[in-house]
Amino acid sequence: MAIFATISTIPAMHRLRLLSRYLRGSAVCPGLPPTVVIANTHTCNHFCRMCIREAVTFDGPNMEVRLFRQIIDEGASYFRYISLDGPGETIMNPEAFDLIRYAKAKGIRMVFSTNATLMTPDLVESILDSGLDHIIFSLNGTSRDVYAAIHGVDAYDFAVANIRQFLARKCDLGASIMVTLQMVCLRQTLHQVDEFYRTWRGLPGVNSVRVKKDVVAVERLQSGESASRAPRRNACARLWYGPVFIETNGDVYASPGVLYKAPPVGNVWRSSLAQIWNNEQMQAMRRAHASGDESPFPECVDCSYSRPRLPLIVGGFLLDPFLAGRLMPIAERFAYWHSLPLYERFSWKAEFSRILKRTGATKTVSLSRKP
C-alpha cells in the first residue's frame, strides 16, 4: 500500500492518472492539482485598466506565512508549479521571498508577475536569491502614453530601466531564472504588438515574449454583462488539473477563470485542500463540463479564458507544468499569428476585429508578417 501511494505521487504518474480521469469525465480526481495560484497581497501601486481590481474592491491582509505553509505542507507531494500572484503587486508583501523559499525547499517551482516599478537593486538581489524559477514582467505598451493609459501611472521609462537592470544582473550572475515580457492585448496596445516583440525578443536574459489575451474582461464585469459563447468542444481541463486559486483569507476558487464571478468552493482554514478538491461543488462542476452542459454554472459559461483543443489539453497533462509554461507563449504565437487550430474558435485576427468593433478604434496591427 505504501509503495502504491509513493508511485501515485510520482509527478508523471500523477498527471497520467488525472488525464485518465479527465478523458473519462470522472467527477473525482486523485490527490491534488499539480498547479495552484496563491494570492500574495491585495496591495498594488498601479491601476491597470484590465485588472480585476478595476471591477472588484479588495481589502484584507497579505497572505499569512502560517496559512501558506499549511497549504504547501499539504500539497508538497503533488504541487509542481505555483504562481504567487493575485490582485496585487507581489513584491509589496515583504514576506513574499520567505514564502518562495519555503516552497522551493519542498521542491516546488515558483513564478510571479510584477510591474517592475518598485524594483531596487536590493530587491533584484532578493528575487534572485529566493530561487524564483520564473518572473513575468507586465509591461503594457511600448511608449509612455500607452503605458500610462493602461497602468494608470506614468512610469514607463522607470519600468523599462528596472527590467533592463534585472536582465543585466541575471546575465552577470548566469542565473537560470526564466524571464517573460508580457503585454495584454487591448484596444490601446493593438498597434504596438509588433514593436513589443521587436523590442524584447532576443534581448539577453529574456526567455520569452508573450502577447496575452485579455482573460479578465473587466468591462463586462463592471457592467454586469455576460458573454454569449458557443458550447465547449471539450470540458475545461482546469477542473481536473488546476490551477485552483487560493485567496489570502483561505477562500478557494475552482479556477482563476471564475474568480469572483461566483462564491468560493471552500476555505482552507476550515477544510483541507484535498477535501475541497473533491467536494460536492467541484464534483458538480466536473459533471456539468463532462456532460457538455455548463448552464448550471454561469461563471463557466462566461469564462473569458481561451479554450484549448484536445491535443493541447492532453499535452498539458503530459508535460511538466514548468515546461508547459515555457512552451505556452510559443504555442499561443503559432495559434494566434499563424492560425494553427490549437484553440477553439479563437485567433488574434478575430480578437482584434471584436475589440475594434466594440470600441470603434481605428488603429490596428499588421498581421501579414511574423511578430
Side-chain angles (χ1 to χ4, degrees):
M1 184 66 70
I3 294 176
F4 176 78
T6 301
I7 292 175
S8 68
T9 59
I10 294 174
M13 292 297 296
H14 181 53
R15 295 196 303 271
L16 283 173
R17 293 172 72 209
L18 293 177
L19 174 59
S20 174
R21 297 298 177 93
Y22 172 78
L23 294 175
R24 288 156 44 196
S26 173
V28 177
C29 288
L32 286 170
T35 63
V36 181
V37 179
I38 302 178
N40 172 61
T41 182
H42 288 161
T43 306
C44 192
N45 62 328
H46 283 199
F47 309 91
C48 300
R49 64 186 308 129
M50 71 292 189
C51 179
I52 189 70
R53 298 170 61 86
E54 295 301 294
V56 179
T57 300
F58 293 94
D59 54 20
N62 292 336
M63 170 59 66
E64 290 187 29
V65 173
R66 179 165 62 102
L67 178 58
F68 183 84
R69 290 185 174 185
Q70 174 185 314
I71 296 167
I72 297 301
D73 289 346
E74 180 185 358
S77 297
Y78 297 99
F79 298 159
R80 307 310 303 157
Y81 194 37
I82 291 179
S83 174
L84 192 65
D85 273 314
E89 168 56 41
T90 305
I91 61 179
M92 294 186 77
N93 179 357
E95 294 179 310
F97 302 113
D98 288 336
L99 303 184
I100 293 170
R101 291 188 186 94
Y102 189 81
K104 288 292 298 177
K106 302 285 186 175
I108 303 168
R109 287 184 157 174
M110 298 292 294
V111 57
F112 73 71
S113 62
T114 174
N115 60 46
T117 56
L118 297 176
M119 284 201 311
T120 62
D122 286 344
L123 270 173
V124 170
E125 296 303 319
S126 295
I127 293 170
L128 294 171
D129 181 67
S130 71
L132 186 70
D133 297 282
H134 184 189
I135 188 167
I136 300 171
F137 291 117
S138 178
L139 188 74
N140 295 282
T142 60
S143 63
R144 286 181 60 189
D145 58 334
V146 170
Y147 180 94
I150 302 300
H151 286 258
V153 295
D154 183 7
Y156 175 75
D157 293 336
F158 195 52
V160 169
N162 284 348
I163 293 170
R164 291 183 179 275
Q165 176 192 54
F166 183 92
L167 295 173
R169 185 60 177 154
K170 171 191 171 179
C171 292
D172 287 345
L173 295 176
S176 60
I177 183 171
M178 178 180 172
V179 174
T180 296
L181 266 292
Q182 180 172 286
M183 182 171 75
V184 177
C185 189
L186 301 165
R187 171 180 60 84
Q188 295 84 356
T189 61
L190 286 180
H191 65 292
Q192 295 191 336
V193 170
D194 286 352
E195 186 177 357
F196 186 75
Y197 275 107
R198 286 196 301 269
T199 300
W200 296 104
R201 194 169 63 180
L203 198 68
V206 174
N207 299 95
S208 66
V209 179
R210 185 184 189 191
V211 176
K212 181 183 177 183
K213 181 181 184 288
D214 178 14
V215 296
V216 178
V218 165
E219 292 175 350
R220 286 197 286 105
L221 281 175
Q222 290 172 328
S223 64
E225 298 175 2
S226 60
S228 177
R229 303 186 71 182
R232 293 177 185 269
R233 297 184 183 179
N234 303 287
C236 177
R238 294 178 182 87
L239 297 176
W240 281 262
Y241 184 83
V244 295
F245 184 97
I246 305 176
E247 253 289 12
T248 60
N249 65 356
D251 282 345
V252 178
Y253 292 84
S255 88
V258 301
L259 204 55
Y260 314 118
K261 296 178 181 179
V265 295
N267 185 286
V268 290
W269 281 123
R270 297 189 289 271
S271 305
S272 70
L273 187 57
Q275 290 172 324
I276 296 170
W277 179 234
N278 281 308
N279 66 13
E280 290 183 8
Q281 184 77 351
M282 289 296 295
Q283 290 191 46
M285 293 180 77
R286 291 180 186 126
R287 281 193 293 267
H289 277 253
S291 72
D293 180 13
E294 305 165 59
S295 59
F297 300 95
E299 65 271 27
C300 294
V301 177
D302 189 46
C303 179
S304 299
Y305 275 64
S306 300
R307 299 174 176 180
R309 292 177 183 268
L310 188 59
L312 200 61
I313 290 173
V314 173
F317 278 93
L318 296 178
L319 294 176
D320 176 83
F322 184 69
L323 177 57
R326 294 181 67 99
L327 295 177
M328 184 56 66
I330 300 173
E332 288 176 336
R333 192 161 70 243
F334 276 98
Y336 299 160
W337 298 94
H338 302 283
S339 300
L340 289 184
L342 298 179
Y343 294 91
E344 296 179 13
R345 298 186 180 184
F346 181 81
S347 70
W348 274 129
K349 187 177 291 186
E351 183 75 356
F352 290 162
S353 298
R354 181 188 65 79
I355 294 173
L356 294 172
K357 182 177 180 181
R358 187 184 73 234
T359 61
T362 56
K363 289 185 177 180
T364 188
V365 63
S366 169
L367 298 176
S368 61
R369 64 182 187 279
K370 273 186 186 178

